[in-house]
């Protein structure tokens, strides 16, 4: 059998998909997948049936077949009695558990290896603890100031130790429910200890060796520390240790320009610390569209967070209870002093201890594992998923990849990873959410684009909130008017972006968004209003008159 992907034009609904599938079945094709959203069909043909026969069958079904390509062949795994396990997974985070749960559905023997705390980054030291503390910070900030009511109140001193204690209780509860409890629920094993490959089918854990037919590396990533003179001699914080502080620092300096720096910097500002953000980049969130960067910069500076861009780090040293960060900005020497110093300059894959050379697994300059579209590494026995591959550092992407890795490694399904419409959120206030191409990315892909930029002062929800610092931006194909990207700075942007991700994934147009009914006085209405700006001045419309 050979597997093919053929471009198919003319499909407009799920019924069309069935017609194409039936036409292909009639010529002996199997494992057929037709998608009108992606304008394609995938299928396998016996060696004695040519691709031209399949294309003819599609055409005779009243659809237009286009270019065809052979999809990389992946042999279905042979799961015999050889080996201690059918599927051995290194790591216990989102990708690992998703893969384990999926794999046991095939009735195979599965085990997870974990050297530390079960659950990975998200539940233990990432999403869950940071977001519950962010919520506490927001409440404290609101208690101090209610500008839309014309009131200013004094909030009590934050008991950080109590907040951290409550955070730890929540983390322990969610780790038990969403991870530890599932081990017995689904019937896979947990092996404790550091994992190290002995050869391509054998791994050592705590002095014992285990063999497996297939492996998944899902070891995640950890904070990356930059090479700044003097930093190694100073006691600094990372995103992990910051969340364990028991006493609120009066001053906090943050080195970094990504979402972790932004979220945690604002968190401690809202709790009452004086925060300074230091960034090498000339702009906040440099990979985002400029309108997004400008809106975020305006928001955080209005809130009183100190922002210094275009920084060159000369050295860092300790002076009594203070950390001193010596910097240069446009050739001018400056000194930033703070009680605590947070390093938030990205993350690095956890691969150093795995002895991947023995497993014949290729890695990149940062230690990231190279994978193909099927999540296979350079060793056909071994797959990798999640942050260890340095793809989108998002737990839902990791879980998605984990399921695909299990289906391919154990089920032999030859599923491809599709990350064309991945939504992401920065949980600042206002929050930042994005999906699809930026304007620059769309142009680099060869699109002729049109854009819509809608200020929040044109969104009724923002007006009644008295919070109009923010923006909606749509990037569309100027020919088809299909939505290529949506970028938002607003309260609840993370909730709005889920709807936007459907528009990007399924090729909706600005007319589709403009013709849809949007509930009044929701931030989601901004999505419709941004679509309407392509042919209307929304400032001259009455409420709901779009």
């Amino acid at each position: 059998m050979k597997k093919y992907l053929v471009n198919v034009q003319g499909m407009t609904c799920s019924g069309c998909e069935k017609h194409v599938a039936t036409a292909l079945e009639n010529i002996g094709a199997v494992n057929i997948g037709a998608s009108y959203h992606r304008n394609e069909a995938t299928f396998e043909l016996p060696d004695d049936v040519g691709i031209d026969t399949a294309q003819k069958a599609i055409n005779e079904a009243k659809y237009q077949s286009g270019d065809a390509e052979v999809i990389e062949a992946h042999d279905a795994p042979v799961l015999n009695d050889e080996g201690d396990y059918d599927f051995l997974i290194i790591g216990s985070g989102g990708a690992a558990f998703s893969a384990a749960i999926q794999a046991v559905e095939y009735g195979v023997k599965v085990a997870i290896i974990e050297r530390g705390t079960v659950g990975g980054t998200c539940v233990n030291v990432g999403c869950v603890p940071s977001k519950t503390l962010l919520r506490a910070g927001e409440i404290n900030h609101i208690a101090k100031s209610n500008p839309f009511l014309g009131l200013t109140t004094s909030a009590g001193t934050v008991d950080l130790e109590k907040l951290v204690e409550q955070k730890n209780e929540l983390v322990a509860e969610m780790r038990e429910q969403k991870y530890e409890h599932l081990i017995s629920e689904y019937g896979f094993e947990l092996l404790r200890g550091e994992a190290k490959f002995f050869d391509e089918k054998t791994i050592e854990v705590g002095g014992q060796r285990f063999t497996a037919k297939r492996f998944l590396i899902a070891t995640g990533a950890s904070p990356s520390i930059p090479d700044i003179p003097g930093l190694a001699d100073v006691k600094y914080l990372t995103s992990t240790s910051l969340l364990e502080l028991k006493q609120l620092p009066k001053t906090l300096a943050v080195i970094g320009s990504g979402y972790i720096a932004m979220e945690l910097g604002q968190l401690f500002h809202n709790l009452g610390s004086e925060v300074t953000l230091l960034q090498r980049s000339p702009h906040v969130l440099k990979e985002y569209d400029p309108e997004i960067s400008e809106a975020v910069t305006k928001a955080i500076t209005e809130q009183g967070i100190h922002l210094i861009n275009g920084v060159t780090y000369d050295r860092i040293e300790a002076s009594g209870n203070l950390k001193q960060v010596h910097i240069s900005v446009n050739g001018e020497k400056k000194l930033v002093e703070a009680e605590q110093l947070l390093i938030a300059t990205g993350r690095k894959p956890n691969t150093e201890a795995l002895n991947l050379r023995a497993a014949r697994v290729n890695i990149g300059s940062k230690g990231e594992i190279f994978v193909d579209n099927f999540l296979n590494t350079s060793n056909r026995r071994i797959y990798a998923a999640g942050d260890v591959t340095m793809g989108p550092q998002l737990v839902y992407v990791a879980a998605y990849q984990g399921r695909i890795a299990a289906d391919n490694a154990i089920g032999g399904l030859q599923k491809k990873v599709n990350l064309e419409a991945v939504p992401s959120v920065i949980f600042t206030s206002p929050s930042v959410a994005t999906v699809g191409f930026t304007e620059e990315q769309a142009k680099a892909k060869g699109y002729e684009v049109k854009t819509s930029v809608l200020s929040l002062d044109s969104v009724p929800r923002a007006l009644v909130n008295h919070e109009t610092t923010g923006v909606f931006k749509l990037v569309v194909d100027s020919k088809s008017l299909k939505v290529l990207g949506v970028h938002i700075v607003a309260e609840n942007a993370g909730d709005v972006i889920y709807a936007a991700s459907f528009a990007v994934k399924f090729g909706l147009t600005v007319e589709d968004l403009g013709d849809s009914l949007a509930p009044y006085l929701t931030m989601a209405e901004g999505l419709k209003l941004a679509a309407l700006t392509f042919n209307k001045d929304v400032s001259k419309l009455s409420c709901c008159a779009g």
Side-chain angles (χ1 to χ4, degrees), residues 155-308:
T157 303
V158 170
D159 186 343
L160 187 59
E161 184 172 5
K162 183 66 175 178
L163 280 179
V164 170
E165 181 181 312
Q166 293 173 346
K167 176 265 294 182
N168 290 341
E169 290 174 359
L170 174 65
V171 167
E173 180 181 347
M174 291 192 67
R175 180 172 59 238
E176 180 181 5
Q177 291 178 355
K178 297 297 184 180
Y179 290 89
E180 295 171 339
H181 175 70
L182 299 183
I183 296 173
S184 57
E185 176 74 18
Y186 285 95
F188 50 87
E189 297 181 35
L190 174 64
L191 305 177
R192 293 281 189 178
E194 184 87 65
K196 178 181 178 182
F197 278 99
F198 176 76
D199 58 32
E200 62 183 80
K201 61 180 180 180
T202 309
I203 203 160
E204 293 182 349
V205 183
Q208 291 183 281
R209 291 180 182 174
F210 301 94
T211 58
K213 302 173 186 66
R214 294 290 185 272
F215 293 88
L216 173 65
I217 301 172
T219 47
S222 55
S224 176
I225 307 303
D227 184 16
I228 300 175
L231 179 59
D233 301 321
V234 172
K235 187 176 181 181
Y236 58 83
L237 299 167
T238 66
S239 57
T240 300
S241 55
L242 180 74
L243 299 181
E244 295 301 325
L245 284 181
K246 300 298 191 295
Q247 185 174 350
L248 188 70
K250 291 181 180 179
T251 52
L252 173 69
V254 182
I255 294 178
S257 59
Y259 72 95
I260 295 175
M262 300 295 295
E263 288 183 356
L264 298 185
Q266 192 180 66
L267 161 62
F268 275 77
H269 167 76
N270 287 342
L271 291 177
S273 298
E274 183 179 337
V275 175
T276 301
L277 297 178
L278 303 167
Q279 307 183 346
R280 293 186 189 273
S281 169
H283 305 290
V284 170
L285 303 177
K286 61 182 179 181
E287 295 179 356
Y288 289 63
D289 269 327
E291 293 88 352
I292 302 303
S293 176
E294 291 166 8
V296 172
T297 299
K298 185 173 186 287
I300 63 177
T301 53
E302 285 176 345
Q303 293 166 16
I305 297 174
H306 305 295
L307 174 64
I308 305 177

Side-chain angles (χ1 to χ4, degrees), residues 15 57 80 117 126 131 135 139 141 178 189 245 250-251 267 274 292 336 342 351 366 380 393 412 435 501 503 515 544:
N80 48 37
T117 305
K131 274 52 179 180
R135 181 56 178 158
I139 292 171
H141 179 68
K178 297 297 184 180
E189 297 181 35
L245 284 181
K250 291 181 180 179
T251 52
L267 161 62
E274 183 179 337
I292 302 303
V336 175
L342 169 64
T351 56
K366 297 180 180 180
R380 307 286 287 185
Q393 305 279 288
V435 64
S501 69
D515 289 341
C544 309

Side-chain angles (χ1 to χ4, degrees), residues 6-12 16 20 35-41 58-59 61-67 482:
V6 175
N7 180 270
V8 181
Q9 297 297 322
M11 293 190 294
T12 59
C16 296
V20 170
S35 171
Y36 77 90
H37 297 300
R38 294 193 296 273
N39 297 318
E40 68 181 30
I58 293 171
N59 293 335
K62 307 303 181 184
Y63 302 95
Q64 299 80 50
S65 65
D67 295 336
K482 286 186 177 181

